[in-house]
Amino acid sequence: AQSVTQLDSQVPVFEEAPVELRCNYSSSVSVYLFWYVQYPNQGLQLLLKYLSGSTLVKGINGFEAEFNKSQTSFHLRKPSVHISDTAEYFCAVSYGGATNKLIFGTGTLLAVQP
Amino acid sequence: DAGVIQSPRHEVTEMGQEVTLRCKPISGHNSLFWYRQTMMRGLELLIYFNNNVPIDDSGMPEDRFSAKMPNASFSTLKIQPSEPRDSAVYFCASSPVSVGAAGELFFGEGSRLTVL
């Protein structure tokens, strides 16, 4: 079955430190990958997406992610986090073809501490 | 643009009552999705529409749940009768991309449902 795995339910990190949030997906010939962020009491909003082309994708708020086909991973990174980055981060995958629905991972809470 | 608009933002009801959640997608978007979010199960896709037609309702939990999209600017998710285990945040999202391509989903702020 198609799936997305986010192994870390919570990642604590100090302000200005680098962070990596991990995401792995079940393999498929064609795949589109997304990272969404959810701030408290809000809906999700898109951080970045990989559809094709360069495997390094840059998004909003200084985040970036790298698509690694051999490892079926799409890890999210930021070199220096801020308190305002505290939120829930969701990795999502679309397998294209006849559907554009997204399958979401279980989310990772990024907790930035001063 | 006003974004995806959901109502009500909060709903508290008693078991057995009918609940109707409403969604107005972004104008021009032709895909609409209903998701449910709980601590235990995370984000679950309930149903999605393309051009007002239901494409995949395999995520709808049971017959108590139904969704309609009578026109391009309005959708409802109905639960009848409601049960405490239906308590969750229900999100509506719309997308400008139609069947056959991946795209960005624009989420509403959600409807928090509590069934006592």
Side-chain angles (χ1 to χ4, degrees):
Chain A
Q2 300 162 346
S3 65
V4 178
T5 302
Q6 293 182 249
L7 288 173
D8 305 307
S9 60
Q10 186 168 348
V11 173
V13 63
F14 287 108
E15 194 173 17
E16 297 184 6
V19 70
E20 177 179 86
L21 306 184
R22 297 181 293 169
C23 173
N24 289 88
Y25 61 93
S26 55
S27 181
S28 176
V29 174
S30 174
V31 64
Y32 307 123
L33 294 156
F34 305 78
W35 276 98
Y36 280 79
V37 60
Q38 184 180 29
Y39 298 103
N41 299 314
Q42 294 186 24
L44 282 71
Q45 57 182 277
L46 183 69
L47 263 183
L48 49 80
K49 61 183 176 182
Y50 170 79
L51 302 182
S52 64
S54 173
T55 57
L56 183 63
V57 180
K58 294 188 183 300
I60 62 172
N61 301 338
F63 284 92
E64 63 181 31
E66 185 158 18
F67 170 57
N68 188 318
K69 188 174 182 179
S70 62
Q71 297 186 3
T72 61
S73 68
F74 190 56
H75 300 332
L76 180 70
R77 302 185 185 99
K78 185 170 183 177
S80 176
V81 295
H82 302 285
I83 294 288
S84 60
D85 292 324
T86 296
E88 190 91 21
Y89 291 80
F90 292 90
C91 183
V93 61
S94 169
Y95 288 91
T99 177
N100 63 342
K101 71 179 185 181
L102 295 184
I103 299 171
F104 284 89
T106 51
T108 298
L109 175 62
L110 176 63
V112 182
Q113 304 164 15
Chain B
D1 200 326
V4 175
I5 299 173
Q6 291 186 245
S7 65
R9 290 294 312 279
H10 301 274
E11 173 93 4
V12 180
T13 190
E14 293 187 348
M15 183 174 62
Q17 296 299 305
E18 178 180 295
V19 174
T20 299
L21 308 179
R22 298 173 177 79
C23 175
K24 177 179 169 56
I26 293 173
S27 177
H29 286 191
N30 56 1
S31 293
L32 183 140
F33 304 78
W34 282 101
Y35 281 88
R36 178 172 68 175
Q37 185 177 38
T38 61
M39 290 291 291
M40 292 297 294
R41 301 173 69 92
L43 268 167
E44 303 172 275
L45 176 63
L46 300 177
I47 185 171
Y48 80 95
F49 297 82
N50 275 332
N51 297 318
N52 312 337
V53 176
I55 301 299
D56 184 350
D57 65 354
S58 60
M60 296 287 264
E62 49 198 273
D63 292 344
R64 298 185 297 106
F65 285 69
S66 62
K68 294 181 179 179
M69 192 165 185
N71 57 61
S73 59
F74 184 66
S75 177
T76 59
L77 178 67
K78 186 175 292 186
I79 308 172
Q80 167 63 19
S82 59
E83 296 182 3
R85 59 192 169 121
D86 301 330
S87 297
V89 181
Y90 291 81
F91 287 102
C92 176
S94 68
S95 167
V97 182
S98 61
V99 172
E104 175 180 353
L105 268 60
F106 293 79
F107 282 78
E109 294 190 318
S111 294
R112 182 176 295 276
L113 173 65
T114 302
V115 183
L116 303 175

